[in-house]
Amino acid sequence: MSTKSSHATTEVLIKENDVEGEALSALNNDIEFWHHFTNKIMAKVENVEVAKEARLALQSQSYWPQISKLKSLSKTRD
Amino acid sequence: MSSTKGVKITKKEVRLASTAQDSEWIEKIRVGESQAFSMLVTKYQKLTVRLAYRFVKDIGLAEDVAQDSFLKAYQHLDSFESRASFKSWLFQITVNTAKNKLRDRFMQASPIEDAPVGVAPSAETTLQKKTTGKYLNALIDQLPDRQRTAVVLRVYEDLSFQEIATIMACPYDTAKANFRHGLLKIKREVEKNDTHEMGTNNDQSNWESAGTRHLLEAES
């Protein structure tokens, strides 16, 4: 028997006894699960976007006004 | 009059069409339409959870891995080359995330010696299939990391060697060699157990029933 067909036979044996695949097939039809799954990811994506916008807003603020503000705060305290 | 009868669409054409569709969505995301990402999630979520499950063996953990992988893909979309396959890229992230998750949790696969062997001599039953399936899974889990990855991607996910090579970040021939070596090891283990069973039990039906009958029949 050639090595190639030997590999094919072993592959078929594994596929025919794929008990995990059967369990996963049941999950495939669980519409609720997948709907929930998509929503969870999209909520996380939204959070990433909000954080990105906040970071950009911070970066766009001028550096010097922040420093002068800190200095004036410091003087007030003194 | 045109007819679609006899027109065959090749796997390659399907793959190209799918990649083109993905690229369209990715472009939309890149210009700020983050909602377009839901199209990619819907398209690949089942495959991604399935793939993660093959490595972590727990549906809750597989879901976490898939969620993390999608999020990583979204966050690093700028580094994704549009000409490449999004599916392969996402699978690469998923496999790496699953392996890291396993490492973090110090999860250990059960050793080969613990795997159930020598099942009852009867016709193919659900129980027997489960036993054989678990036994083969244990053998796959015991393979060296890269061989195991190649076997899982090829046998369970039916990916091409080119896709496997992309996911494993290795040359085509290396992916193929890892798959072949892995499969050969499994075959040898199955045969070794057959021999062992033969030596300890004279009832021939006993050693033939461990799922290896398929192998013996095909090779005779």
Side-chain angles (χ1 to χ4, degrees):
Chain A
M1 188 183 182
S2 75
T3 316
K4 198 171 180 180
S5 57
S6 160
H7 282 140
T9 316
T10 310
E11 203 175 326
V12 168
L13 176 69
I14 297 170
K15 275 183 180 168
E16 279 184 352
N17 293 283
D18 181 16
V19 281
E20 286 179 352
E22 286 174 8
L24 288 167
S25 297
L27 186 70
N28 264 359
N29 302 321
D30 190 341
I31 298 165
E32 276 292 307
F33 177 88
W34 297 112
H35 184 67
H36 191 56
F37 185 90
T38 313
N39 285 345
K40 267 204 272 187
I41 292 180
M42 291 316 288
K44 285 179 184 174
V45 164
E46 208 177 313
N47 286 342
V48 168
E49 285 305 313
V50 169
K52 206 191 284 178
E53 276 175 29
R55 205 166 44 242
L56 284 173
L58 269 177
Q59 281 170 357
S60 68
Q61 281 177 8
S62 171
Y63 179 72
W64 288 109
Q66 300 271 346
I67 295 292
S68 52
K69 198 176 172 184
L70 281 174
K71 275 183 180 171
S72 63
L73 276 175
S74 156
K75 275 179 190 168
T76 319
R77 200 169 51 197
D78 291 340
Chain B
M1 197 175 88
S2 67
S3 166
T4 52
K5 200 178 175 184
V7 175
K8 271 189 177 178
I9 300 170
T10 64
K11 264 188 175 182
K12 195 180 176 184
E13 284 169 331
V14 172
R15 205 162 44 233
L16 284 174
S18 175
T19 304
Q21 174 74 86
D22 292 352
S23 299
E24 243 176 68
W25 289 329
I26 289 165
E27 276 317 302
K28 282 187 177 178
I29 299 162
R30 279 178 173 158
V31 296
E33 287 183 44
S34 58
Q35 281 304 311
F37 192 66
S38 68
M39 305 302 283
L40 288 168
V41 175
T42 308
K43 183 174 175 182
Y44 291 114
Q45 57 189 5
K46 290 179 183 175
L47 291 174
T48 310
V49 170
R50 261 178 73 100
L51 179 62
Y53 183 83
R54 297 292 185 187
F55 288 88
V56 299
K57 315 281 181 193
D58 176 274
I59 201 68
L61 202 55
E63 192 187 345
D64 285 350
V65 168
Q67 296 263 348
D68 289 354
S69 305
F70 273 113
L71 204 63
K72 280 179 194 169
Y74 181 79
Q75 289 174 307
H76 297 97
L77 212 53
D78 287 340
S79 66
F80 171 70
E81 286 179 36
S82 295
R83 280 178 301 170
S85 153
F86 176 78
K87 182 185 165 190
S88 299
W89 186 62
L90 177 67
F91 276 19
Q92 186 181 34
I93 296 172
T94 308
V95 170
N96 291 337
T97 307
K99 286 179 183 174
N100 288 340
K101 202 79 137 185
L102 276 183
R103 204 173 302 139
D104 290 349
R105 296 202 172 199
F106 301 104
M107 280 173 76
Q108 297 287 328
S110 58
I112 285 176
E113 290 74 29
D114 291 349
V117 289
V119 292
S122 62
E124 281 281 333
T125 60
T126 310
L127 183 67
Q128 186 175 328
K129 192 176 174 182
K130 270 187 184 170
T131 313
T132 311
K134 278 183 184 173
Y135 166 62
L136 290 167
N137 271 339
L139 292 180
I140 293 170
D141 288 345
Q142 287 301 300
L143 291 174
D145 186 45
R146 295 185 74 75
Q147 290 176 12
R148 178 183 169 219
T149 305
V151 168
V152 166
L153 294 174
R154 178 72 179 178
V155 178
Y156 293 134
E157 302 310 319
D158 220 13
L159 298 184
S160 69
F161 284 116
Q162 192 54 60
E163 286 175 302
I164 297 169
T166 307
I167 293 165
M168 293 175 66
C170 67
Y172 176 94
D173 288 341
T174 310
K176 207 167 180 175
N178 273 308
F179 168 73
R180 286 178 183 277
H181 286 140
L183 225 51
L184 198 64
K185 275 185 190 164
I186 293 168
K187 186 172 178 280
R188 280 185 191 144
E189 281 297 330
V190 169
E191 284 172 345
K192 207 161 79 184
N193 277 316
D194 285 346
T195 315
H196 175 72
E197 289 293 311
M198 273 177 77
T200 55
N201 195 335
N202 289 329
D203 183 358
Q204 186 165 345
S205 59
N206 233 3
W207 63 267
E208 277 191 354
S209 61
T212 57
R213 195 169 52 243
H214 304 282
L215 277 175
L216 297 166
E217 281 169 0
E219 287 170 15
S220 61

